[in-house]
Amino acid sequence: DRIRDLKTDKRELVGVFGKTGAGKTSLINAVIEEKKLLPSGDVEACTSVMIKIEANTCNTKYEAHVEFITKEEWKDELWSISQFHSDTADQNNDYDDDYQDVAEKMSALYGEEWKQKSSEKLMDDRYFSEIPEFLQSTTKILSCETAKELSAKMIKYTRTDSNQRGDKGIKRWYWPLVKCVTVKVPHNSFLQHVTLVDLPGNGDRNKSRDTMWKGIVGNCSTVWIVTEINRAAADRESWEILKSVNSLLGNAGECRHIHFICTKSDVIEDSPDHSGDVQALILRRNTDAKAAVGKEISKLHKMKKHFSDECFQVFTVSSKEFLKRKVLSPENT
């Protein structure tokens, strides 16, 4: 019985990587056939925290389990930010990427107050009144009847975008304090044996998330590198992600498959009026994209030492067409 249970509970851990706007969120929604679960569609929006998607085996609700960084970690970060802020106060910060990242994170949580207050005052409990779980070092659980409801509730814990101050009337965003959000989906046969992990890239991580990130990548049995089809072979960021992931994989690791997933295959500029012609164009570009990515993979000599050719596969997908067919047949999405 125990052996049977172990086999039943065995999960494939799939790490999903890709830069903002590549279509990661839409891809995950399509794969688990939950169109409205993870917020997507805004080119400027991205997830800054790790999101794990797995089956809810305990009840029939859609749940999000929010794991926060510790108070001590945030206190250390505030102290570092206050030092950084005083060092850059006399400079023109408009073009400083590091400053913009800090300002975005602090403004999300504190509004503009953070610029005038000490790190000690920014630890005042009133800033965290809505999330007593952060102060108590416990997990916050959001529970809803539908995917759409959960998506709206968890947005302040997962999402950052350039217009966030006015978005949906949210005054305080808590994603800077979040380490990981585990989303549990009921009645989903695909997720019974697969856990998807939407991983933030290097630029969206901080020290408190790094250890967890490295641990997760080392345990992934499959890695998905997600990139837009029209620039798949030339997108240097995707290849940099692959190389950084490679340093955590290799002979001793769990990883057996590396998949390049080229998204938005349905997007054809100046497409003809006839759907048959559009489909032919899409399929031709799919073939070309696979060949181009395959050529780039063959140049990765260091990776070839750890992985055989069978480990690499290239997929061309369209989440939009899969969820609402217009031109492509299901097997071509």
Side-chain angles (χ1 to χ4, degrees), residues 114-268:
W114 70 276
K115 292 177 182 175
Q116 286 80 41
K117 300 208 170 177
S118 66
S119 53
E120 289 80 13
K121 286 186 176 173
L122 291 174
M123 284 301 297
D124 192 294
D125 285 3
R126 71 187 176 90
Y127 292 113
F128 316 107
S129 58
E130 199 183 335
I131 47 167
E133 296 86 355
F134 167 69
L135 299 172
Q136 296 155 10
S137 298
T138 56
T139 299
K140 186 176 186 71
I141 299 176
L142 308 172
S143 184
C144 298
E145 295 293 334
T146 67
K148 191 177 180 181
E149 280 178 79
L150 185 65
S151 180
K153 262 192 180 183
M154 70 180 183
I155 195 169
K156 65 170 75 174
Y157 301 100
T158 61
R159 181 178 168 183
T160 168
D161 71 53
S162 57
N163 301 312
Q164 66 186 11
R165 301 306 304 154
D167 192 0
K168 299 182 184 297
I170 295 172
K171 291 176 183 172
R172 216 177 283 289
W173 295 69
Y174 296 114
W175 56 263
L177 302 173
V178 175
K179 189 185 285 187
C180 177
V181 176
T182 301
V183 178
K184 294 179 179 277
V185 182
H187 312 305
N188 193 297
S189 55
F190 175 79
L191 292 173
Q192 292 295 326
H193 301 290
V194 177
T195 295
L196 297 173
V197 189
D198 186 355
L199 289 145
N202 288 318
D204 294 318
R205 303 195 331 257
N206 60 20
K207 288 175 190 170
S208 59
R209 296 190 191 114
D210 259 14
T211 309
M212 183 183 243
W213 185 86
K214 287 172 181 169
I216 288 282
V217 173
N219 290 326
C220 286
S221 51
T222 300
V223 165
W224 291 355
I225 306 290
V226 183
T227 183
E228 290 179 71
I229 192 166
N230 61 354
R231 46 196 309 230
D235 186 1
R236 299 280 35 113
E237 196 162 331
S238 296
W239 297 99
E240 287 304 318
I241 289 171
L242 183 55
K243 285 171 187 169
S244 71
V245 167
N246 180 45
S247 66
L248 300 168
L249 302 173
N251 289 333
E254 290 278 328
C255 190
R256 296 185 303 282
H257 306 283
I258 295 175
H259 295 160
F260 238 84
I261 302 185
C262 308
T263 57
K264 306 182 185 180
S265 69
D266 62 302
V267 180
I268 295 278

